[in-house]
């Protein structure tokens, strides 16, 4: 039989520690040192954190208060998270999965749809044609490509983005492309190439941008490619250039770090523009904001001391900081642009792709070209005397304002006047009266032989026949 010592208390000779026994266990007053401990630690309390090492099994953790968590957390699987707070302050949340919510409520970023204030930013629509060597509105709709001081004209075209490249892989199949002529006299002070889209006052007023506030923003984004490695310029101006309420804002188009764009490489450009208490826009259909991309402006329009990224009153001689002239002096240099988006908010969202039909309808507010196929009709009216008729042509959508002129092929034989038979016109149709929804045009066919006041039609003679009407800003 084993020996036993039965006591209820053991006291150290120095009196600094005791061991008290009871029916439930022992109580130690003082420090316990051992090589190891076994058994349950369920009732251990007040253990110093500095004395805890090793890995705690997941099953041992429950209800850890937020006040006890500090430092950086590792990547977490959030599939079972609940009760996450509704606000992340100024931070961003990035996810590769699906977000499901009862509602999405933008605060500073503007609307979820139709947020792009630019029209035809993917360069899909080109009603007037796909190539031109003239300055102005001639190819891609809504874009005014202006140049001056050239020894040889630029070639402006709607071009294809190469398959497999970015931005082609993002859905941009078309671009606006400018090919330089041979500027043999070099870069003159009055030489310039500027690409603009003009936006209506009311579209800025109703966009959601608090343009009077320096903490409310527009963000512009686009893809650009140049055959020459250099920096270019972005430019905004408000209202009618040179008027008392006209202000300008410029910025650099560069590689994102202040350096030159890489030659023959598509680069995504993003820039944020603040409001200003100086800005004024009217809630009407007149010119409100001009959005410019400048491949080159000569020194008649620039200064070395120009201040970028701030709104300042219009000065034709101080629009930009002095520009590199390498692109201008390089024969056949190219400049390509696509994916232009201007939206309310401090960040650039993915480009808002719209259907061709949607973009065409928006473009036709500013310019519409009616192009019936061969022998199809422009409109109906009546014979007006022995040499002409009156034909009512209806526009496909209401235009911004009343067109004041008409565009034709310039060839009278492209147009046919018909009552009971066809008669080829002897002069191109002329514009008589116009509203924002239709135009009364006058086709001429000398000695047509039809009875006065008879009903008549205007027909296209060949697929090249067209009538064009402009209400551009």
């Amino acid at each position: 039989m084993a020996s036993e010592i039965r006591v209820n208390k053991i006291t150290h000779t120095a009196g600094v520690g005791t061991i008290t026994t009871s029916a439930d266990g022992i109580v130690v007053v003082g420090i316990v040192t051992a090589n190891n401990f076994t058994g349950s630690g369920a009732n251990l309390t007040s253990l110093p954190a500095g004395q805890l090492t090793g890995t705690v099994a997941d099953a041992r953790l429950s209800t850890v208060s937020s006040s006890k968590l500090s430092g950086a957390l590792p990547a977490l699987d959030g599939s079972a998270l609940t009760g996450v707070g509704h606000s992340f302050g100024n931070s961003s949340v990035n996810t590769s999965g699906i977000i499901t919510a009862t509602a999405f409520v933008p605060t500073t970023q503007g609307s979820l749809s139709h947020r792009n204030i630019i029209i035809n930013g993917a360069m899909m629509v080109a009603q007037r044609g796909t190539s031109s060597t003239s300055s102005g509105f001639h190819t891609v709709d809504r874009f005014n490509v202006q140049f001056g001081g050239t020894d040889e004209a630029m070639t402006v075209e709607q071009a294809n983005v190469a398959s497999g490249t970015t931005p082609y892989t993002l859905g941009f199949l078309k671009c606006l492309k400018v090919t330089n002529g041979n500027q043999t006299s070099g870069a003159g002070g009055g030489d310039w190439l500027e690409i603009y889209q003009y936006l209506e006052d009311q579209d800025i007023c109703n966009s959601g941008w608090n343009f009077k506030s320096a903490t409310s923003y527009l963000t512009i984004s686009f893809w650009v490619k140049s055959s020459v490695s250099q920096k270019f310029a972005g430019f905004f101006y408000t209202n009618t250039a040179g008027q008392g309420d006209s202000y300008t804002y410029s910025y650099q188009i560069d590689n994102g770090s202040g350096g030159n764009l890489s030659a023959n490489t598509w680069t995504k450009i993003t820039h944020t523009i603040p409001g200003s208490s100086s800005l004024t826009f009217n809630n009407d259909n007149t010119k409100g904001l001009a959005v410019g991309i400048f491949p080159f402006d000569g020194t008649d329009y620039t200064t070395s001391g120009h201040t970028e990224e701030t709104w300042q009153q219009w000065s034709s001689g101080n629009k930009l900081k002095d520009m590199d002239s390498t692109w201008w002096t390089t024969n056949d240099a190219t400049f390509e642009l696509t994916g232009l988006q201007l939206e309310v908010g401090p960040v650039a969202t993915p480009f808002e792709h719209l259907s061709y039909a949607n973009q065409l309808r928006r473009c036709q507010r500013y310019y519409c070209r009616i192009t019936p196929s061969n022998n199809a009709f422009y409109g109906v009216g009546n014979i007006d005397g022995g040499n002409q008729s009156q034909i009512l042509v209806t526009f496909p959508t209401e235009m911004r304002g009343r067109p004041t002129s008409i565009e034709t092929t310039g060839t009278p034989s492209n147009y046919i006047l018909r009552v009971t038979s066809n008669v080829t016109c002897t002069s191109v149709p002329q514009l008589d009266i116009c509203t924002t929804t239709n135009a009364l045009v006058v086709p001429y066919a000398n000695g047509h032989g039809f009875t006065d006041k008879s009903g008549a039609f205007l027909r296209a003679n060949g697929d090249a026949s067209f009538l064009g009407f402009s209400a551009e800003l």
Side-chain angles (χ1 to χ4, degrees):
M1 177 177 175
S3 300
E4 293 183 356
I5 298 176
R6 298 191 178 191
V7 295
N8 61 1
K9 186 174 183 180
I10 301 175
T11 302
H12 190 270
T13 57
V16 296
T18 62
I19 300 175
T20 303
T21 64
S22 68
D24 298 323
I26 64 174
V27 176
V28 178
V29 177
I31 298 172
V32 177
T33 302
N35 290 331
N36 57 69
F37 295 92
T38 62
S40 172
N43 293 320
L44 293 176
T45 61
S46 302
L47 296 177
Q51 303 302 315
L52 297 176
T53 60
T55 301
V56 179
D58 292 349
R60 302 297 184 186
L61 292 175
S62 65
T63 318
V64 179
S65 63
S66 59
S67 62
K68 303 302 182 183
L69 296 175
S70 63
L73 292 174
L76 299 174
D77 177 4
S79 59
L81 291 176
T82 60
V84 177
H86 67 279
S87 174
F88 290 88
N90 293 323
S91 302
S92 298
V93 177
N94 299 315
T95 177
S96 58
I98 297 172
I99 296 176
T100 302
T102 55
F104 291 94
V105 183
T107 54
T108 60
Q109 195 54 41
S111 60
L112 296 176
S113 68
H114 290 82
R115 62 189 180 276
N116 190 2
I117 309 173
I118 295 292
I119 297 173
N120 198 30
M123 316 297 172
M124 293 190 296
V125 181
Q127 295 182 81
R128 297 173 177 90
T130 57
S131 183
S132 175
T133 55
S134 298
S135 175
F137 291 100
H138 294 288
T139 56
V140 177
D141 273 58
R142 298 294 297 121
F143 287 91
N144 186 4
V145 183
Q146 308 173 76
F147 50 83
T150 57
D151 300 303
E152 182 182 17
M154 308 282 174
T155 299
V156 183
E157 60 184 311
Q158 181 197 47
N160 294 321
V161 177
S163 175
T165 63
T166 302
Y168 182 96
T169 55
L170 301 176
F172 300 104
L173 278 62
K174 298 291 184 181
C175 68
L176 174 64
K177 181 178 180 180
V178 182
T179 302
N180 193 15
N182 188 7
Q183 314 310 334
T184 56
S185 63
D191 298 347
W192 51 286
L193 169 60
E194 301 174 351
I195 302 169
Y196 273 116
Q197 182 165 141
Y198 306 118
L199 304 174
E200 293 182 48
D201 261 315
Q202 60 191 359
D203 290 339
I204 302 302
C205 285
N206 297 293
S207 67
W209 180 37
N210 182 6
F211 54 83
K212 289 287 189 182
S213 171
T215 58
S216 183
Y217 300 93
L218 291 178
T219 297
I220 190 170
S221 57
F222 54 91
W223 288 90
V224 64
K225 182 172 76 168
S226 167
S227 62
V228 174
S229 176
Q230 68 167 77
K231 292 181 283 188
F232 299 95
F235 184 72
F236 293 84
Y237 75 80
T238 64
N239 303 306
T240 303
Q243 300 300 308
D245 60 352
S246 180
Y247 285 79
T248 66
Y249 181 99
S250 71
Y251 63 96
Q252 287 284 328
I253 297 173
D254 56 34
N255 66 357
S257 302
N260 292 338
L261 296 176
S262 298
N264 299 307
T265 303
W266 283 106
T267 302
K268 177 72 174 290
I269 305 297
T270 300
H271 190 81
T272 299
I273 304 97
S276 169
S277 59
S278 302
L279 302 185
T280 300
F281 296 97
N282 303 312
N283 192 24
D284 57 30
N285 65 350
T286 59
K287 184 184 292 185
L289 183 66
V291 181
I293 308 293
F294 289 9
F296 181 70
D297 262 16
T299 53
D300 287 357
Y301 315 107
T302 67
T303 65
S304 60
H306 174 81
T307 302
E308 296 179 321
E309 299 187 21
T310 185
W311 287 102
Q312 51 199 295
Q313 196 150 21
W314 172 275
S315 171
S316 60
N318 185 29
K319 293 162 63 176
L320 307 167
K321 188 181 288 292
D322 287 343
M323 294 190 69
D324 187 340
S325 62
T326 305
W327 188 94
W328 181 268
T329 57
T330 301
N331 188 28
D332 294 333
T334 58
F335 186 90
E336 298 171 72
L337 175 70
T338 194
L340 182 61
Q341 180 156 292
L342 181 69
E343 59 191 304
V344 175
V347 298
T349 65
F351 184 84
E352 183 180 19
H353 289 278
L354 300 178
S355 69
Y356 179 89
N358 189 311
Q359 292 286 18
L360 174 61
R361 190 161 53 250
R362 299 176 75 194
C363 291
Q364 286 173 333
R365 174 173 172 79
Y366 304 91
Y367 177 83
C368 69
R369 176 168 288 197
I370 301 172
T371 55
S373 57
N374 185 36
N375 286 324
F377 298 98
Y378 285 102
V380 63
N382 62 274
I383 298 298
D384 184 29
N387 299 311
Q388 66 187 47
S389 64
Q390 299 174 324
I391 302 296
L392 187 66
V393 177
T394 301
F395 303 145
T397 190
E398 183 172 9
M399 302 193 73
R400 182 192 64 84
R402 294 189 301 172
T404 57
S405 62
I406 186 173
E407 294 180 9
T408 70
T409 64
T411 303
S413 61
N414 288 148
Y415 306 92
I416 292 174
L417 186 61
R418 178 176 177 81
V419 178
T420 56
S421 61
N422 293 336
V423 175
T424 301
C425 290
T426 55
S427 296
V428 295
Q430 303 296 313
L431 182 63
D432 186 5
I433 301 172
C434 202
T435 70
T436 58
T437 57
N438 53 50
L440 187 66
V441 301
V442 179
Y444 292 89
N446 293 337
H448 51 64
F450 299 128
T451 302
D452 190 25
K453 304 297 188 288
S454 298
F457 301 93
L458 180 63
R459 304 179 73 169
N461 189 16
D463 292 334
S465 181
F466 72 86
L467 294 177
F469 302 89
S470 178
E472 293 283 6
L473 288 161

